[in-house]
Amino acid sequence: MSALGGPAKTAGVQPPTGMGLVISIVLIIIAFALAYFLLQIAGLLAVVGITVGGILIGFGVHFVPVGGAPAAMGQSPGIATGVPMLASGAGLAGLFAGAWAAPLGLPIALASGAIGGGLLMAITCTMVNIIYIFGMGIPAASGKVDKDPITGDTFPEYKTQGTEGHGLPFISWVGGVIGGALGGLGGTLIYLEFLDIYQAQMPALLSATGEQIAPIAISLAGVFAIGMFLVNAVLVAYNIGGTIEGPHDPKFKRAPRAIIASAVASAIAGVFAIGLLELVGVF
Amino acid sequence: MAMQMNPILAIVLGSALAVFVQGVYATTAYLGRTASLAKFEQPVYIDILKSMTTVTMAHAFVAVFATVTMCHLIISALGHPFPLPLLGLIWGIALGAAGSATGNPFYGKERQYQHQKFGAGVPISASGNIVRYAEAGERNSLDNGFFSAKLGGPASGICFGLIVFFELWRTVIFEPLAAGWGAIIIGVVAILIFAIIDRYIEVWARKTFGPYVVPGATEEVSS
């Protein structure tokens, strides 16, 4: 326990504290009330959608197997890069695909965003395994579990002594794809909510037609969606604390805390993003 | 494009600007790291500053030019709604994710230069136990870059190329099918194919390399 009296640092479960829960709920209610005050029911629905998108991103990042520098040296399992880098890469590829499919309707845009993120992670994880196996000669071995929950492969006999495991087991591959898909889904949902709000608000505000406003609305929505993505990815990176192996890692049980934090951050940032136009109108 | 300039010329000018940013980053990263960790008494190699910085800058020009050209083509030829800077940000971060994920491991544990057995990880106690293979008996960043470029660079490029290809191909060709769901079905099929490839090479590695064995007496002699 730290000198400031924070929660005890344990490797696995770190549940949210009571005080944190209360403050989070109050902040979310304030954000929702502000949204209703600014744009009535449309604003409230948009902020709820943005919050759900943020939760999806925050939860999805926990699935992505990130090993950091030790993974690059063959000393721990996972993908050898940082949490925000990989998670935002996958989510933004999803956003790219989702925004492209946006004119085809909400379900197709959301599915396309999810597949876009999942596809990036599928290709990246496969190439990482190719490099691990053919370039470095490292077979997959998890350090956190003895048996792959999906394929049933056993790991202890393959694990090199003096490492925390190495390579990218199949469960981590599946986790990466799920994480990328959830990130792409959340990012696309946030983008579509912003786009709806901006397309409804801007023509009256700038006294122009909807077609003239479309490029600005799309750019603004895209910029804010990327911003929301980075907020959530970095937030969750702190919760994970460097490395995670995927859904089988004990650290995965920390997810509830990150989900609450993502919800609060998304709701507040979302209110500021949709309230921006109101401010422009006031001045 | 806002200045009514030829897009190719504009991309070249933008890449030329990015080259100087990369040069500043490369110089400050190298000098800053050595200076801030002065307690390790690492020397600053003027060789690296003189030869490596320019190579890094040239490489940045190629990378930025290729990425921005691709983003420009995605907008002008394929009609993506996002403006160029936003697309550049998206694909730049995706390129960073793919390149960092694929390229880093090869840089960290290169088989030819490690004392460790092929078919196993690197114990933490053996971290940095790399054969000094260069001419004068010591290797600097120039040699590291050289051997990383052999497999890590092309593999990162293939990874990013596959991502861009599959994202665009499934959308451009299959989006008209099944009222838009065609692109999603093809995406799921592609993910499943990559799952099969990944599982196949994972099983291949387990069979070929076999379980971990503690290094025997013969290897200890050779190291």
Side-chain angles (χ1 to χ4, degrees), chain B residues 75-86:
Chain B
I75 295 169
S76 58
L78 300 178
H80 195 278
F82 278 179
L84 187 63
L86 212 54

Side-chain angles (χ1 to χ4, degrees), chain A residues 93-94 97-98 101 107-117 188, chain B residues 167 170-171 175 183-184:
Chain A
I108 291 181
L110 290 180
S112 194
I115 293 300
T188 310
Chain B
E167 293 282 2
R170 74 182 177 93
T171 309
E175 199 163 56
I184 292 151

Side-chain angles (χ1 to χ4, degrees), chain A residues 72-75 79-81 85 96 99 108 112 116 129 134 136-137 153-154 157-158 160-163 170 173 191 219, chain B residues 80 82-83 87 91 93 100-101 104-105 108-109 118-124 127 167 170 179 195 198-199 202 204 206 212:
Chain A
M73 295 185 280
Q75 294 168 350
I79 298 174
T81 186
M85 185 85 235
F96 169 84
I108 291 181
S112 194
N129 237 344
F134 298 114
M136 301 156 67
D153 285 349
T154 50
E157 69 268 29
Y158 284 88
T160 305
Q161 280 178 13
T163 67
F170 194 67
W173 191 96
Y191 167 77
S219 309
Chain B
H80 195 278
F82 278 179
L87 267 191
W91 283 116
I93 291 181
S100 171
N104 280 5
K109 178 189 191 281
F118 199 74
V122 183
I124 291 167
S127 186
E167 293 282 2
R170 74 182 177 93
D198 179 79
R199 182 65 195 147
E202 194 187 337
W204 182 89
R206 285 171 74 89
Y212 175 73

Side-chain angles (χ1 to χ4, degrees), chain A residues 23-36 38 43-56 190 194 228 231-232 235 258-275:
Chain A
I23 293 177
S24 305
I25 291 170
V26 169
L27 283 174
I28 290 177
I29 290 174
I30 291 175
F32 284 179
L34 263 177
Y36 186 77
L38 283 171
L44 182 63
L45 285 179
V47 173
V48 170
I50 291 163
T51 310
V52 171
I55 291 173
L56 284 172
I190 291 175
F194 279 138
M228 297 288 284
V231 165
N232 282 302
L235 199 86
I259 288 172
I260 294 166
S262 285
V264 177
S266 308
I268 293 174
V271 165
F272 275 101
I274 65 169

Side-chain angles (χ1 to χ4, degrees), chain A residues 93 96-97 100 112 115-124 126-127, chain B residues 70 78 91 158-175 182-194 197:
Chain A
F96 169 84
W100 209 354
S112 194
I115 293 300
L119 194 58
L120 181 139
M121 286 305 298
I123 295 171
T124 305
T126 306
M127 285 305 294
Chain B
M70 184 197 81
L78 300 178
W91 283 116
I158 289 173
C159 180
F160 185 60
L162 281 174
I163 291 167
V164 174
F165 171 73
F166 273 102
E167 293 282 2
L168 299 182
W169 178 72
R170 74 182 177 93
T171 309
V172 170
I173 305 288
F174 296 100
E175 199 163 56
I184 292 151
I185 294 165
I186 294 297
V188 173
V189 171
I191 290 177
L192 289 178
I193 290 173
F194 277 104
I197 295 173

Side-chain angles (χ1 to χ4, degrees), chain B residues 15 23 36 45 55 62 81-82 116 124 126 131 143 180 203 211:
Chain B
S15 307
S36 62
Y45 293 103
V55 173
V62 176
F82 278 179
Q116 306 308 314
I124 291 167
V131 179
D143 307 305
V203 173

Side-chain angles (χ1 to χ4, degrees), chain A residues 230-252:
Chain A
L230 294 176
V231 165
N232 282 302
V234 173
L235 199 86
V236 173
Y238 278 104
N239 189 43
I240 291 173
T243 62
I244 188 168
E245 273 187 31
H248 58 291
D249 194 301
K251 281 186 188 173
F252 187 73

